[in-house]
Amino acid sequence: MSVIHTAASPYLGVMAILLLNSFGLPIPEEIVLVLAGSAVYQGTMDLYILLIAACLTISAADYLLFWLGHKWGRPVLRLKFVRFFVHPERMEGFSRRYEGHLLRGIFTVRFISGLRAPAYFCAGMLKVPRHKFFLTDLVAILVHVPLFTLLGFAFSSQIDSVVAWLHRADEW
């Protein structure tokens, strides 16, 4: 039993952080994915399981934000808690920018940390067809997640060099 728990915990941890990130945790997804890629390099995680877990979690979180916008839209923006994170003026700006460029905007915002949640909520509020949102977001996720995970994997061998350089700089 403990072997299963131990093997699943790094993936569950990554999934939890990615999910919380979608709802305001101030740690960019990119950092989480790069660190997870480094864990793959170190042999503590499997690349394919990580990619599947991260893609599923991010897709679910994105769709939840879209659904909230689709279901409740503008009334949610009136809630004091939501206004703390998403300013109504910003949502109006998204609405104006999205018009005529909805799918391109959904794809592009995947690569802009900090704008995803309000943009996906706005896409739902603007009644983008669910299947178009889901497919566009999925394609963006299938580029975004492997890109940052593999960057973490590729540059993990340089960590020792960076740490050594930081020690030299600190002594200097």
Side-chain angles (χ1 to χ4, degrees):
M1 180 75 172
S2 65
V3 172
I4 293 172
H5 179 324
T6 305
S9 61
Y11 304 104
L12 293 175
V14 168
M15 292 169 72
I17 293 170
L18 290 172
L19 182 63
L20 291 172
N21 173 269
S22 295
F23 295 95
L25 184 69
I27 301 172
E29 280 179 6
E30 294 79 5
I31 291 174
V32 175
L33 294 171
V34 166
L35 291 174
S38 180
V40 170
Y41 179 82
Q42 295 169 7
T44 58
M45 296 177 87
D46 179 79
L47 178 63
Y48 298 108
I49 294 172
L50 172 63
L51 289 175
I52 290 168
C55 287
L56 288 174
T57 302
I58 292 171
S59 180
D62 290 353
Y63 190 79
L64 180 58
L65 289 166
F66 171 81
W67 180 80
L68 289 171
H70 189 79
K71 183 79 173 166
W72 288 296
R74 297 199 190 285
V76 170
L77 293 178
R78 290 188 208 113
L79 298 173
K80 192 172 188 173
F81 172 78
V82 174
R83 282 189 309 203
F84 180 76
F85 293 103
V86 181
H87 304 287
E89 300 83 29
R90 184 178 293 170
M91 291 306 292
E92 292 302 321
F94 278 129
S95 297
R96 286 192 302 276
R97 286 185 192 99
Y98 260 138
E99 289 185 50
H101 308 286
L102 290 171
L103 298 180
R104 197 173 336 155
I106 292 166
F107 183 88
T108 303
V109 81
R110 160 78 6 231
F111 300 91
I112 305 172
S113 186
L115 295 180
R116 292 180 200 120
Y120 295 155
F121 183 87
C122 185
M125 199 169 67
L126 293 173
K127 307 298 185 200
V128 171
R130 289 178 179 149
H131 69 282
K132 287 185 179 184
F133 173 83
F134 180 77
L135 291 174
T136 303
D137 187 48
L138 183 61
V139 169
I141 288 169
L142 291 175
V143 172
H144 184 255
V145 170
L147 173 69
F148 284 96
T149 304
L150 293 175
L151 281 172
F153 182 86
F155 291 102
S156 285
S157 63
Q158 303 302 316
I159 293 293
D160 292 334
S161 302
V162 171
V163 170
W165 181 84
L166 288 173
H167 282 295
R168 284 195 307 272
D170 187 43
E171 291 172 4
W172 199 61

